[in-house]
Amino acid sequence: MTLTRREREILALLRRDPLAGAQSIADALGTTRAAVNVHLSHLGKKGAILGRGYILRQEHAVVVIGGANVDIKVRSLAPVAYRTSNPGRSHTSPGGVARNIAENLARLGTPTHLIAAVGQDAAGERLLSDTQAAGVRIEHVHRGPHPTGTYTAVLDADGDLVVAIADMAATDALAPEHLHTARELIGNAGLLVLDGNLSARVLSYVLDIASATGVQTLIDPVSVPKAALLAPLFAAGRPVFAVTPNVAELAALTGRNLEGATDADDPELLRAVAALHERGVRHVWVRLGARGSLLSTLDEGRVPLAAPPAEVRDVTGAGDAMLGAFAHALLGGADPVDAARYGHAAAALTVATPATVRPDLTPRLIEDALDATLRRTT
């Protein structure tokens, strides 16, 4: 089933609000009700929607497992002066790597389930309410005895991260037994996304399910300490579809010294990438910051990707948007290189706003950004 861009946009709106009428869809897309009715007729003929009420055809969903917490962002109004008070502004919002990835996916129209742990407190209630309102399924989120986690980020006046503190006790306590009821969901996922905030026990448990059922798995290492704990889980007998480290996380995953390795053709960086391929990782997508990224595919070579230009207001959430959009594009049939470009565009759009997850993110917005980048380079 091949869908046009407009048909994909309509499906994305229907996933957020299955009861949306043709006029409300037309208003959201800036078109006419008659045009929407034509597209709805085509979607019905293609089997994407069924019968009256625009019931969506069931699709394999993405299952995202990992951290969900409250983000507290504090931004200095001037260059940061250390060991003293700095004037600034603060903002609180839903956060967590897995939760952010899940929201990005849902906003792009991909059916998405989140598996995470939050506390039995007001912060947890608000976090789940906001996440569900964005279109994410939360039935398998575990409500544990620990307080809902927090991630406190201090940003300088340019929006760059100075330091962050994560209180992830709720996520640390998530155990395999809390995921038993989700085994069938995980084993039938269209794609599985894991973040490195999970314990080694949970990661191993979920990777075993994915390996036994043939589910493709994407892993975000999250941080250098988390990557070091994750490293022993990579093995040729338990293949992983993709892992998305930055250079420091790649060093931790492979035990190599990559200090100063900032270019896509650095020999030490390439040897580290090859080491992950030998341990069963098909795609290694190394994030190189302002230099873009390197996508290396087992037996298919390496492709350096430039980062699109962006006006940076806040870097928080860029990697989550990048991975969420990458997964969305893969499920839509894009090859990994095009999916990575799609991810780069989503990241650039996200850092241009103060939001951790851009609330107006849509496939159309990303495709327009990609078209604009193509026009600038031709």
Side-chain angles (χ1 to χ4, degrees):
M1 177 180 63
T2 302
L3 302 180
T4 66
R5 182 167 74 172
R6 181 63 89 194
E7 288 167 353
R8 294 197 302 272
E9 291 170 351
I10 291 173
L11 278 184
L13 291 172
L14 288 174
R15 288 190 180 107
R16 295 182 195 176
D17 181 8
L19 298 180
Q23 187 59 58
S24 65
I25 294 172
D27 292 342
L29 296 177
T31 185
T32 66
R33 179 172 181 170
V36 168
N37 282 328
V38 171
H39 291 302
L40 289 171
S41 175
H42 290 163
L43 285 168
K45 292 175 182 177
K46 293 177 180 181
I49 57 177
L50 308 174
R52 300 182 63 186
Y54 311 140
I55 301 170
L56 299 181
R57 180 178 61 85
Q58 292 298 309
E59 298 181 61
H60 288 308
V62 176
V63 177
V64 187
I65 311 178
N69 50 257
V70 175
D71 276 355
I72 304 167
K73 292 193 288 188
V74 183
R75 181 167 177 167
S76 176
L77 296 178
V80 171
Y82 293 91
R83 302 183 186 280
T84 188
S85 176
N86 289 262
R89 297 286 183 269
S90 64
H91 176 70
T92 300
S93 63
V97 173
R99 198 219 66 86
N100 292 344
I101 293 170
E103 182 176 340
N104 277 291
L105 279 160
R107 291 194 178 281
L108 290 172
T110 296
T112 306
H113 292 261
L114 174 66
I115 301 176
V118 301
Q120 301 179 43
D121 49 23
E125 292 289 345
R126 177 65 182 273
L127 184 63
L128 292 181
S129 175
D130 289 344
T131 302
Q132 186 175 40
V136 179
R137 301 287 295 271
I138 59 171
E139 293 91 335
H140 292 284
V141 172
H142 174 66
R143 305 298 298 274
H146 298 279
T148 297
T150 58
Y151 172 83
T152 303
V154 178
L155 309 175
D156 66 17
D158 296 325
D160 290 327
L161 181 66
V162 176
V163 69
I165 304 295
D167 178 357
M168 301 294 290
T171 301
D172 293 341
L174 190 68
E177 53 266 28
H178 300 139
L179 276 66
H180 286 340
T181 58
R183 282 183 62 94
E184 184 175 351
L185 176 68
I186 296 168
N188 287 286
L191 202 61
L192 178 65
V193 180
L194 308 175
D195 85 30
N197 287 305
L198 298 166
S199 69
R201 286 180 62 219
V202 171
L203 283 167
S204 184
Y205 175 79
V206 175
L207 287 171
D208 283 342
I209 295 173
S211 180
T213 56
V215 174
Q216 292 185 327
T217 304
L218 281 67
I219 301 179
D220 182 345
V222 173
S223 69
V224 171
K226 302 288 186 181
L229 296 175
L230 180 64
L233 298 178
F234 290 106
R238 189 166 57 185
V240 169
F241 180 75
V243 63
T244 62
N246 61 26
V247 174
E249 292 161 358
L250 178 63
L253 287 171
T254 59
R256 293 174 178 269
N257 182 4
L258 299 180
E259 188 175 350
T262 58
D263 294 321
D265 58 355
D266 183 278
E268 282 300 318
L269 186 146
L270 296 180
R271 280 191 278 271
V273 167
L276 284 182
H277 285 320
E278 291 171 1
R279 290 159 60 187
V281 181
R282 179 163 182 77
H283 301 283
V284 182
W285 189 16
V286 186
R287 303 172 186 177
L288 301 171
R291 295 177 182 267
S293 66
L294 172 69
L295 180 65
S296 178
T297 300
L298 182 66
D299 300 328
E300 296 175 24
R302 300 181 295 271
V303 179
L305 298 164
E311 180 181 346
V312 178
R313 294 187 62 186
D314 186 342
V315 298
T316 311
D320 305 334
M322 198 167 173
L323 182 51
F326 178 67
H328 171 80
L330 287 173
L331 283 176
D335 67 62
V337 173
D338 285 340
R341 291 194 178 100
Y342 196 85
H344 268 299
L349 288 166
T350 298
V351 301
T353 74
T356 301
V357 178
R358 184 165 177 148
D360 63 344
L361 189 68
T362 62
R364 176 67 176 270
L365 191 67
I366 296 176
E367 288 161 7
D368 286 348
L370 285 169
D371 290 343
T373 299
L374 182 61
R375 288 194 297 270
R376 282 193 294 267
T377 56
T378 56

